[in-house]
Amino acid sequence: MSFYDATVPALLQILGSLTGILNKAEAHCSAKKIAPEVMLGARLYPDMFPFSKQIQLVSDFAAKGCARLTHSELPSMPDTEKSFEELRQRLAKTIDYVKAFKPAQFEGADTKDVTFPAGPDRTMTLKGQSYLNNVAFPNFYFHAATAYDILRHNGVEIGKRDFLGVN
């Protein structure tokens, strides 16, 4: 399996599933007369990021992960989304960005150095394979699962098939 095949399809699957989950969350808010900003600001615990930030971080780890692995320019994505529609647009932009990568761009990326922020005033460098397996994927899936968990905790009728994008 190529490094591209191990990376891009996995990211696209979850980015697509989150788009469907956003649709269900918005429909839930409408049906239950819940103000959208309440769901968008929902958290599992007070010191955790809200739902909207979880989606933004999923988007960041997908797009910036691909950029770092291919030594491409990092995309600029300010965190300004305040509605379900704006979050859907962000996911759509991220999907288009990730889809634009070609397999050749990932050739040798598993052994190339990847430097990334590791805190507010620190960077870290890992080989591409280690970066993908130990940083990009774990963070991507953590924030995707947390976004799912926030919605599930707040009564949105979604399940594992929704998270996996196979509904």
Side-chain angles (χ1 to χ4, degrees):
M1 175 185 297
S2 72
F3 200 54
Y4 171 92
D5 288 334
T7 305
V8 171
L11 297 172
L12 291 174
Q13 177 184 358
I14 299 301
L15 290 167
S17 75
L18 288 175
T19 301
I21 285 171
L22 279 173
N23 293 337
K24 287 190 173 191
E26 186 173 35
H28 176 81
C29 286
S30 180
K32 302 290 185 184
K33 308 288 187 247
I34 299 169
E37 57 272 11
V38 171
M39 192 67 74
L40 295 170
R43 304 166 187 259
L44 289 178
Y45 196 76
D47 69 350
M48 292 180 74
F49 288 130
F51 174 77
S52 59
K53 183 68 174 176
Q54 301 295 339
I55 297 295
Q56 292 163 343
L57 286 165
V58 168
S59 170
D60 287 346
F61 278 101
K64 291 178 181 181
C66 286
R68 287 185 178 111
L69 287 167
T70 61
H71 293 214
S72 301
E73 186 175 335
L74 290 176
S76 173
M77 288 193 255
D79 297 336
T80 58
E81 297 81 13
K82 295 184 183 339
S83 69
F84 286 110
E85 181 55 32
E86 289 173 344
L87 287 172
R88 268 192 297 275
Q89 288 173 10
R90 182 179 178 125
L91 287 175
K93 284 182 194 174
T94 305
I95 289 167
D96 289 345
Y97 180 80
V98 172
K99 280 183 175 179
F101 284 94
K102 304 295 180 228
Q105 291 175 271
F106 281 82
E107 287 179 16
D110 55 326
T111 59
K112 290 181 186 169
D113 285 343
V114 174
T115 301
F116 57 96
D121 41 348
R122 193 174 88 116
T123 61
M124 189 171 187
T125 301
L126 296 172
K127 296 297 181 190
Q129 186 73 57
S130 292
Y131 169 74
L132 180 66
N133 289 339
N134 300 319
V135 178
F137 270 167
N139 279 285
F140 174 79
Y141 285 112
F142 172 83
H143 292 291
T146 302
Y148 167 90
D149 292 342
I150 289 169
L151 295 180
R152 192 71 188 93
H153 177 75
N154 282 279
V156 179
E157 292 185 22
I158 51 177
K160 185 163 104 176
R161 295 179 63 78
D162 294 293
F163 180 81
L164 295 174
V166 296
N167 261 354

Short mmCIF file of all heavy atoms in Angstrom, two decimals, residues 100-143:
data_model
loop_
_atom_site.label_atom_id
_atom_site.label_comp_id
_atom_site.label_asym_id
_atom_site.label_seq_id
_atom_site.Cartn_x
_atom_site.Cartn_y
_atom_site.Cartn_z
N ALA A 100 -7.10 17.15 -3.78
CA ALA A 100 -6.21 17.71 -4.80
C ALA A 100 -4.80 17.10 -4.74
O ALA A 100 -4.05 17.21 -5.72
CB ALA A 100 -6.12 19.23 -4.65
N PHE A 101 -4.45 16.45 -3.65
CA PHE A 101 -3.14 15.82 -3.56
C PHE A 101 -3.09 14.60 -4.48
O PHE A 101 -4.06 13.87 -4.62
CB PHE A 101 -2.81 15.40 -2.12
CG PHE A 101 -2.42 16.56 -1.25
CD1 PHE A 101 -3.35 17.21 -0.47
CD2 PHE A 101 -1.11 17.02 -1.25
CE1 PHE A 101 -3.00 18.29 0.32
CE2 PHE A 101 -0.74 18.11 -0.47
CZ PHE A 101 -1.68 18.74 0.32
N LYS A 102 -1.94 14.41 -5.08
CA LYS A 102 -1.71 13.28 -5.99
C LYS A 102 -0.79 12.28 -5.31
O LYS A 102 0.06 12.65 -4.49
CB LYS A 102 -1.06 13.76 -7.29
CG LYS A 102 -1.86 14.84 -8.01
CD LYS A 102 -3.19 14.31 -8.48
CE LYS A 102 -3.99 15.38 -9.19
NZ LYS A 102 -5.35 15.48 -8.75
N PRO A 103 -0.93 11.00 -5.65
CA PRO A 103 -0.08 9.98 -5.04
C PRO A 103 1.42 10.30 -5.13
O PRO A 103 2.16 10.05 -4.17
CB PRO A 103 -0.43 8.71 -5.81
CG PRO A 103 -1.86 8.92 -6.23
CD PRO A 103 -1.94 10.40 -6.54
N ALA A 104 1.86 10.86 -6.23
CA ALA A 104 3.29 11.16 -6.40
C ALA A 104 3.80 12.14 -5.34
O ALA A 104 4.97 12.07 -4.95
CB ALA A 104 3.54 11.74 -7.79
N GLN A 105 2.93 13.01 -4.84
CA GLN A 105 3.36 13.97 -3.82
C GLN A 105 3.72 13.28 -2.51
O GLN A 105 4.45 13.84 -1.70
CB GLN A 105 2.27 15.01 -3.58
CG GLN A 105 2.05 15.95 -4.76
CD GLN A 105 0.90 16.88 -4.50
OE1 GLN A 105 -0.24 16.55 -4.80
NE2 GLN A 105 1.19 18.03 -3.92
N PHE A 106 3.17 12.10 -2.29
CA PHE A 106 3.42 11.37 -1.04
C PHE A 106 4.58 10.38 -1.17
O PHE A 106 4.96 9.77 -0.17
CB PHE A 106 2.15 10.62 -0.62
CG PHE A 106 1.13 11.50 0.04
CD1 PHE A 106 0.26 12.27 -0.71
CD2 PHE A 106 1.03 11.56 1.43
CE1 PHE A 106 -0.68 13.08 -0.11
CE2 PHE A 106 0.09 12.37 2.04
CZ PHE A 106 -0.77 13.14 1.27
N GLU A 107 5.14 10.23 -2.36
CA GLU A 107 6.24 9.28 -2.54
C GLU A 107 7.43 9.72 -1.69
O GLU A 107 7.89 10.85 -1.77
CB GLU A 107 6.62 9.17 -4.01
CG GLU A 107 5.59 8.40 -4.82
CD GLU A 107 5.93 8.29 -6.29
OE1 GLU A 107 7.10 8.55 -6.67
OE2 GLU A 107 5.01 7.95 -7.05
N GLY A 108 7.90 8.82 -0.85
CA GLY A 108 9.03 9.09 0.03
C GLY A 108 8.69 9.92 1.26
O GLY A 108 9.56 10.17 2.09
N ALA A 109 7.44 10.35 1.36
CA ALA A 109 7.05 11.20 2.50
C ALA A 109 7.17 10.47 3.83
O ALA A 109 7.35 11.10 4.87
CB ALA A 109 5.61 11.71 2.31
N ASP A 110 7.08 9.15 3.80
CA ASP A 110 7.18 8.39 5.05
C ASP A 110 8.55 8.50 5.69
O ASP A 110 8.67 8.38 6.92
CB ASP A 110 6.80 6.92 4.81
CG ASP A 110 7.61 6.27 3.71
OD1 ASP A 110 7.97 6.95 2.73
OD2 ASP A 110 7.87 5.05 3.82
N THR A 111 9.59 8.79 4.92
CA THR A 111 10.94 8.87 5.47
C THR A 111 11.49 10.30 5.52
O THR A 111 12.60 10.50 6.03
CB THR A 111 11.91 7.99 4.66
OG1 THR A 111 11.91 8.43 3.30
CG2 THR A 111 11.51 6.52 4.74
N LYS A 112 10.74 11.27 5.01
CA LYS A 112 11.19 12.66 5.05
C LYS A 112 10.89 13.27 6.42
O LYS A 112 9.95 12.88 7.10
CB LYS A 112 10.48 13.48 3.98
CG LYS A 112 10.90 13.14 2.57
CD LYS A 112 10.16 14.01 1.58
CE LYS A 112 10.46 13.58 0.16
NZ LYS A 112 9.57 14.25 -0.80
N ASP A 113 11.70 14.27 6.78
CA ASP A 113 11.47 15.00 8.03
C ASP A 113 10.22 15.86 7.92
O ASP A 113 9.99 16.51 6.89
CB ASP A 113 12.66 15.90 8.36
CG ASP A 113 13.85 15.13 8.89
OD1 ASP A 113 13.68 13.96 9.30
OD2 ASP A 113 14.96 15.70 8.89
N VAL A 114 9.44 15.86 8.99
CA VAL A 114 8.26 16.71 9.10
C VAL A 114 8.42 17.51 10.39
O VAL A 114 8.52 16.93 11.47
CB VAL A 114 6.96 15.87 9.14
CG1 VAL A 114 5.75 16.76 9.39
CG2 VAL A 114 6.79 15.07 7.87
N THR A 115 8.43 18.82 10.26
CA THR A 115 8.53 19.70 11.42
C THR A 115 7.17 20.34 11.65
O THR A 115 6.52 20.79 10.70
CB THR A 115 9.61 20.77 11.19
OG1 THR A 115 10.87 20.09 10.97
CG2 THR A 115 9.75 21.68 12.40
N PHE A 116 6.74 20.37 12.90
CA PHE A 116 5.40 20.85 13.23
C PHE A 116 5.42 21.48 14.61
O PHE A 116 6.31 21.21 15.41
CB PHE A 116 4.39 19.69 13.16
CG PHE A 116 4.74 18.55 14.07
CD1 PHE A 116 4.19 18.45 15.34
CD2 PHE A 116 5.66 17.59 13.68
CE1 PHE A 116 4.52 17.40 16.19
CE2 PHE A 116 6.01 16.53 14.52
CZ PHE A 116 5.44 16.45 15.78
N PRO A 117 4.41 22.33 14.90
CA PRO A 117 4.35 22.93 16.23
C PRO A 117 4.04 21.87 17.28
O PRO A 117 3.22 20.98 17.06
CB PRO A 117 3.21 23.93 16.15
CG PRO A 117 2.71 23.91 14.76
CD PRO A 117 3.36 22.80 14.03
N ALA A 118 4.73 21.96 18.41
CA ALA A 118 4.50 21.03 19.52
C ALA A 118 4.28 21.84 20.80
O ALA A 118 4.83 21.56 21.84
CB ALA A 118 5.68 20.08 19.66
N GLY A 119 3.48 22.85 20.67
CA GLY A 119 3.21 23.76 21.77
C GLY A 119 3.32 25.19 21.28
O GLY A 119 3.67 25.42 20.12
N PRO A 120 3.04 26.13 22.15
CA PRO A 120 3.02 27.53 21.71
C PRO A 120 4.37 28.07 21.25
O PRO A 120 4.43 28.91 20.37
CB PRO A 120 2.52 28.30 22.94
CG PRO A 120 2.56 27.35 24.07
CD PRO A 120 2.68 25.97 23.54
N ASP A 121 5.47 27.58 21.79
CA ASP A 121 6.77 28.12 21.40
C ASP A 121 7.81 27.01 21.24
O ASP A 121 8.96 27.14 21.65
CB ASP A 121 7.24 29.17 22.42
CG ASP A 121 6.95 28.79 23.87
OD1 ASP A 121 6.19 27.84 24.10
OD2 ASP A 121 7.49 29.46 24.78
N ARG A 122 7.36 25.93 20.62
CA ARG A 122 8.24 24.78 20.44
C ARG A 122 7.85 24.06 19.15
O ARG A 122 6.69 24.03 18.78
CB ARG A 122 8.06 23.84 21.63
CG ARG A 122 9.10 22.77 21.77
CD ARG A 122 8.88 22.01 23.07
NE ARG A 122 7.96 20.91 22.84
CZ ARG A 122 8.28 19.63 22.97
NH1 ARG A 122 9.48 19.29 23.34
NH2 ARG A 122 7.40 18.69 22.74
N THR A 123 8.83 23.49 18.47
CA THR A 123 8.55 22.64 17.31
C THR A 123 9.17 21.27 17.55
O THR A 123 10.02 21.10 18.44
CB THR A 123 9.12 23.24 16.00
OG1 THR A 123 10.53 23.35 16.12
CG2 THR A 123 8.49 24.57 15.67
N MET A 124 8.73 20.35 16.74
CA MET A 124 9.24 18.98 16.83
C MET A 124 9.43 18.48 15.41
O MET A 124 8.71 18.90 14.49
CB MET A 124 8.21 18.13 17.59
CG MET A 124 8.65 16.78 17.96
SD MET A 124 7.38 16.06 19.06
CE MET A 124 8.22 14.59 19.52
N THR A 125 10.38 17.59 15.21
CA THR A 125 10.61 17.00 13.89
C THR A 125 10.58 15.49 14.01
O THR A 125 11.25 14.91 14.88
CB THR A 125 11.97 17.47 13.31
OG1 THR A 125 11.96 18.90 13.21
CG2 THR A 125 12.21 16.87 11.93
N LEU A 126 9.79 14.87 13.16
CA LEU A 126 9.70 13.41 13.07
C LEU A 126 9.76 13.00 11.61
O LEU A 126 9.49 13.81 10.71
CB LEU A 126 8.35 12.93 13.65
CG LEU A 126 8.06 13.15 15.12
CD1 LEU A 126 6.62 12.77 15.43
CD2 LEU A 126 9.03 12.34 15.98
N LYS A 127 10.06 11.76 11.37
CA LYS A 127 9.93 11.22 10.02
C LYS A 127 8.45 11.15 9.69
O LYS A 127 7.59 11.01 10.58
CB LYS A 127 10.58 9.84 9.90
CG LYS A 127 12.08 9.84 10.15
CD LYS A 127 12.80 10.67 9.09
CE LYS A 127 14.30 10.66 9.31
NZ LYS A 127 14.98 11.63 8.46
N GLY A 128 8.11 11.22 8.42
CA GLY A 128 6.72 11.26 7.98
C GLY A 128 5.85 10.16 8.53
O GLY A 128 4.72 10.40 8.96
N GLN A 129 6.34 8.93 8.53
CA GLN A 129 5.56 7.81 9.05
C GLN A 129 5.25 8.00 10.52
O GLN A 129 4.12 7.79 10.96
CB GLN A 129 6.30 6.49 8.84
CG GLN A 129 5.50 5.26 9.23
CD GLN A 129 4.39 4.96 8.23
OE1 GLN A 129 4.66 4.79 7.05
NE2 GLN A 129 3.16 4.92 8.69
N SER A 130 6.24 8.42 11.29
CA SER A 130 6.01 8.67 12.72
C SER A 130 5.07 9.84 12.93
O SER A 130 4.21 9.80 13.81
CB SER A 130 7.34 8.94 13.43
OG SER A 130 8.12 7.77 13.45
N TYR A 131 5.22 10.89 12.14
CA TYR A 131 4.33 12.04 12.25
C TYR A 131 2.88 11.62 11.98
O TYR A 131 1.98 11.95 12.73
CB TYR A 131 4.76 13.15 11.28
CG TYR A 131 3.74 14.24 11.17
CD1 TYR A 131 3.56 15.16 12.19
CD2 TYR A 131 2.92 14.35 10.04
CE1 TYR A 131 2.60 16.17 12.11
CE2 TYR A 131 1.97 15.34 9.95
CZ TYR A 131 1.81 16.24 10.98
OH TYR A 131 0.84 17.21 10.90
N LEU A 132 2.67 10.85 10.91
CA LEU A 132 1.31 10.41 10.57
C LEU A 132 0.73 9.53 11.67
O LEU A 132 -0.38 9.76 12.14
CB LEU A 132 1.30 9.67 9.23
CG LEU A 132 -0.07 9.18 8.77
CD1 LEU A 132 -1.00 10.35 8.47
CD2 LEU A 132 0.07 8.28 7.55
N ASN A 133 1.50 8.52 12.09
CA ASN A 133 0.99 7.53 13.06
C ASN A 133 0.90 8.05 14.48
O ASN A 133 0.03 7.61 15.24
CB ASN A 133 1.86 6.28 13.04
CG ASN A 133 1.68 5.48 11.78
OD1 ASN A 133 0.68 5.59 11.08
ND2 ASN A 133 2.68 4.67 11.46
N ASN A 134 1.78 8.97 14.87
CA ASN A 134 1.85 9.40 16.26
C ASN A 134 1.31 10.80 16.53
O ASN A 134 1.10 11.15 17.69
CB ASN A 134 3.30 9.32 16.75
CG ASN A 134 3.84 7.92 16.67
OD1 ASN A 134 3.15 6.96 16.99
ND2 ASN A 134 5.08 7.77 16.23
N VAL A 135 1.07 11.58 15.48
CA VAL A 135 0.59 12.94 15.66
C VAL A 135 -0.67 13.21 14.83
O VAL A 135 -1.73 13.48 15.37
CB VAL A 135 1.69 13.99 15.33
CG1 VAL A 135 1.16 15.40 15.47
CG2 VAL A 135 2.92 13.77 16.20
N ALA A 136 -0.54 13.15 13.51
CA ALA A 136 -1.64 13.57 12.64
C ALA A 136 -2.88 12.69 12.81
O ALA A 136 -3.97 13.20 13.10
CB ALA A 136 -1.19 13.60 11.18
N PHE A 137 -2.73 11.39 12.62
CA PHE A 137 -3.89 10.50 12.75
C PHE A 137 -4.49 10.50 14.16
O PHE A 137 -5.71 10.63 14.30
CB PHE A 137 -3.56 9.07 12.32
CG PHE A 137 -3.79 8.78 10.86
CD1 PHE A 137 -3.27 7.62 10.31
CD2 PHE A 137 -4.52 9.63 10.03
CE1 PHE A 137 -3.48 7.32 8.96
CE2 PHE A 137 -4.72 9.34 8.69
CZ PHE A 137 -4.20 8.18 8.16
N PRO A 138 -3.69 10.34 15.21
CA PRO A 138 -4.31 10.34 16.54
C PRO A 138 -5.09 11.63 16.84
O PRO A 138 -6.20 11.57 17.38
CB PRO A 138 -3.13 10.17 17.50
CG PRO A 138 -2.09 9.48 16.69
CD PRO A 138 -2.26 10.02 15.30
N ASN A 139 -4.55 12.77 16.48
CA ASN A 139 -5.26 14.04 16.72
C ASN A 139 -6.49 14.16 15.84
O ASN A 139 -7.54 14.61 16.30
CB ASN A 139 -4.32 15.22 16.51
CG ASN A 139 -3.45 15.47 17.72
OD1 ASN A 139 -3.91 15.99 18.71
ND2 ASN A 139 -2.19 15.06 17.63
N PHE A 140 -6.37 13.79 14.59
CA PHE A 140 -7.50 13.82 13.65
C PHE A 140 -8.66 12.97 14.19
O PHE A 140 -9.79 13.45 14.31
CB PHE A 140 -7.03 13.30 12.28
CG PHE A 140 -8.12 13.15 11.27
CD1 PHE A 140 -8.62 14.26 10.59
CD2 PHE A 140 -8.64 11.90 10.97
CE1 PHE A 140 -9.62 14.12 9.64
CE2 PHE A 140 -9.64 11.76 10.03
CZ PHE A 140 -10.13 12.87 9.35
N TYR A 141 -8.37 11.73 14.56
CA TYR A 141 -9.42 10.84 15.05
C TYR A 141 -9.93 11.25 16.44
O TYR A 141 -11.11 11.10 16.73
CB TYR A 141 -8.94 9.38 15.07
CG TYR A 141 -8.89 8.78 13.68
CD1 TYR A 141 -7.69 8.46 13.08
CD2 TYR A 141 -10.06 8.54 12.97
CE1 TYR A 141 -7.65 7.92 11.81
CE2 TYR A 141 -10.03 8.00 11.70
CZ TYR A 141 -8.82 7.69 11.11
OH TYR A 141 -8.79 7.16 9.85
N PHE A 142 -9.06 11.77 17.28
CA PHE A 142 -9.48 12.23 18.60
C PHE A 142 -10.54 13.32 18.47
O PHE A 142 -11.59 13.27 19.12
CB PHE A 142 -8.28 12.74 19.41
CG PHE A 142 -8.68 13.40 20.70
CD1 PHE A 142 -8.92 12.65 21.84
CD2 PHE A 142 -8.83 14.79 20.78
CE1 PHE A 142 -9.31 13.26 23.03
CE2 PHE A 142 -9.22 15.40 21.96
CZ PHE A 142 -9.46 14.64 23.10
N HIS A 143 -10.27 14.33 17.65
CA HIS A 143 -11.20 15.44 17.53
C HIS A 143 -12.47 15.03 16.77
O HIS A 143 -13.56 15.52 17.08
CB HIS A 143 -10.52 16.66 16.90
CG HIS A 143 -9.48 17.24 17.82
ND1 HIS A 143 -9.82 17.88 19.00
CD2 HIS A 143 -8.13 17.24 17.75
CE1 HIS A 143 -8.71 18.26 19.61
NE2 HIS A 143 -7.67 17.89 18.88
#
